[in-house]
Amino acid sequence: MDSVATFQAKISVIVLNYNGQKWLPRCLESLQAQTIFKEIEVIVVDNQSPDQSGEIAAAWAQRVPNIRLVQTGANLYFCGGNNRGAAVATGKYLFFINNDTWLERDCLEILHREIEAEQAAAGMPLVLNYDDDTYQSLAGGLDIFGMFSGAPAFSKTREIIGAFGASFFVRADVFRLVGGFDEALLMYVDEADLSWRIRTSGGRIVGVPAARMHHRGSPTANPAGGGRVIELRTTETKRFLSNRNNLVVLMKNTQHVLLLLVLSNIFLLGCEALASLVLIRNWRFTRHAHFGAIAAAFKMRDHILQCRRQIRTFRRKGDLAALRFMTWRLNRWGELQQILRLGMIKVDKR
């Protein structure tokens, strides 16, 4: 089902859905409760969910005029699904969110107002944990291993290095200029890639702490605990794609001096591989998620070279502009804190 929009929306909210039966109703309820709901359109993109959540979205689309459903007919993953939603969106802005999110009533009104006032190309709200008001994300910097890192919360709208994938607000014309999400990545680290290209094109990205939303995070890979994360659980596929994609993003987007981050990232993956052998004692996981990820990234060299040529056509900022976002706060620091709180990561063979 793919209905036709009947008005020019201020914001097109694109809700990516896969097996969201537990999460989607609250997400849509929070969107319908937005103070500017009549000025937005909601596009639910269903990646052929087997859990009947596509039917939930269809029922909402039938009774609420500015909610639409796009059925992809296959699992196109994060990047492909979001691109399909963007292709039919009518809004000046696109707001990409996951189904395991819910927005406070004035989130979109404040976010839109602040982005307009800042004349920014993209941004994100303050992201809190799903069940309470504890802090989850408001972007950060670029660490010495070439990974986007977290940062403490701040109180006023300010420029950040990139937006969070589950809450990515971007001008539609800028999204299309830089080529949208890179579907070769499938999922994970895709927001860092898109953020980097937006900044390369000359666009500013801001964090808006006055706009608030809540996010569960990884409900498929780590389902225990309902709305609250009570253990650390991942999959071989998730770790493989995260590691591979981070290398690909660096090789695609760095201009010259920051290409050195490719080497530091490979060094980090080597150290993590040794650590995982000692702590997890799973050679198959280490081989696939670390060494296999490095090999797979270099196998994508033709795609990387093609992307670098495309990026040169709209490049207005280079590596020197990115240096201001370098930070000593490591991406893995947050994961280490979670391990100390919740115990060692459990790995599923998926």
Side-chain angles (χ1 to χ4, degrees):
M1 176 181 176
D2 183 1
S3 56
V4 178
T6 58
F7 72 105
Q8 177 72 43
K10 179 180 291 185
I11 304 167
S12 296
V13 182
I14 298 167
V15 184
L16 186 67
N17 180 64
Y18 183 76
N19 284 355
Q21 187 175 36
K22 181 176 181 177
W23 311 99
L24 189 59
R26 186 174 187 182
C27 178
L28 295 178
E29 287 165 5
S30 76
L31 289 171
Q32 191 177 28
Q34 289 299 295
T35 54
I36 58 169
F37 181 67
K38 292 182 179 180
E39 301 174 74
I40 72 173
E41 65 174 351
V42 177
I43 302 170
V44 180
V45 180
D46 183 57
N47 264 338
Q48 203 176 31
S49 300
D51 73 342
Q52 309 303 312
S53 54
E55 284 79 354
I56 293 174
W60 274 81
Q62 286 178 351
R63 68 174 182 266
V64 183
N66 50 337
I67 294 181
R68 309 164 58 192
L69 172 63
V70 173
Q71 291 279 15
T72 62
N75 186 359
L76 303 182
Y77 300 96
F78 183 91
C79 296
N82 276 323
N83 282 347
R84 297 306 179 277
V88 300
T90 69
K92 176 182 177 181
Y93 292 96
L94 309 175
F95 187 38
F96 298 95
I97 64 173
N98 290 356
N99 57 21
D100 60 329
T101 60
W102 61 273
L103 281 63
E104 298 190 5
R105 289 192 71 252
D106 56 359
C107 178
L108 285 179
E109 181 179 2
I110 295 172
L111 188 57
H112 175 265
R113 183 180 69 227
E114 290 293 301
I115 297 287
E116 289 264 290
E118 291 285 331
Q119 297 184 330
M124 65 172 290
L126 170 65
V127 181
L128 305 167
N129 285 320
Y130 194 84
D131 277 349
D132 54 40
D133 289 341
T134 54
Y135 175 71
Q136 187 176 117
S137 176
L138 195 53
L142 183 68
D143 73 13
I144 59 173
F145 298 111
M147 307 177 79
F148 280 20
S149 67
F154 47 88
S155 60
K156 295 183 179 180
T157 300
R158 76 180 191 197
E159 190 170 2
I160 57 176
I161 191 170
F164 184 40
S167 57
F168 206 118
F169 192 93
V170 59
R171 264 178 31 204
D173 60 338
V174 174
F175 179 81
R176 291 166 184 136
L177 169 70
V178 302
F181 287 104
D182 182 355
E183 296 187 24
L185 298 180
L186 299 181
M187 55 185 176
Y188 306 124
V189 201
D190 35 69
E191 73 267 43
D193 177 54
L194 179 58
S195 294
W196 207 316
R197 282 181 279 128
I198 290 169
R199 294 194 56 79
T200 295
S201 74
R204 294 173 63 249
I205 304 174
V206 298
V208 183
R212 295 158 52 101
M213 68 174 286
H214 297 254
H215 176 236
R216 176 17 168 104
S218 301
T220 302
N222 189 15
R228 188 179 299 273
V229 176
I230 61 172
E231 67 175 2
L232 295 182
R233 186 173 293 276
T234 189
T235 68
E236 291 183 8
T237 299
K238 179 178 180 178
R239 209 60 163 178
F240 166 81
L241 287 175
S242 297
N243 291 338
R244 183 201 70 173
N245 289 352
N246 205 88
L247 269 173
V248 171
V249 168
L250 290 174
M251 290 189 279
K252 277 178 56 177
N253 292 285
T254 52
Q255 187 182 22
H256 35 63
V257 64
L258 288 183
L259 277 167
L260 292 171
L261 293 175
V262 173
L263 298 179
S264 65
N265 193 260
I266 292 173
F267 173 76
L268 174 67
L269 292 180
C271 292
E272 287 188 344
L274 294 176
S276 72
L277 280 176
V278 172
L279 298 174
I280 302 177
R281 300 179 183 180
N282 184 336
W283 166 244
R284 168 180 161 166
F285 169 72
T286 300
R287 182 183 61 193
H288 181 57
H290 296 89
F291 300 122
I294 295 171
F298 282 94
K299 286 180 181 177
M300 293 178 67
R301 57 187 176 274
D302 289 342
H303 175 71
I304 291 167
L305 290 172
Q306 180 183 359
C307 289
R308 289 182 69 86
R309 287 192 292 268
Q310 180 192 23
I311 289 169
R312 280 199 296 269
T313 65
F314 58 76
R315 180 181 292 280
R316 293 182 58 192
K317 291 184 178 179
D319 285 357
L320 296 181
L323 287 176
R324 62 183 287 228
F325 292 101
M326 294 294 295
T327 177
W328 290 107
R329 184 184 179 93
L330 301 181
N331 171 280
R332 294 297 195 240
W333 175 243
E335 187 171 283
L336 178 59
Q337 289 179 310
Q338 286 186 312
I339 289 173
L340 294 174
R341 184 168 58 90
L342 299 173
M344 186 53 58
I345 298 172
K346 302 175 181 67
V347 180
D348 294 329
K349 296 179 181 180
R350 286 188 277 129

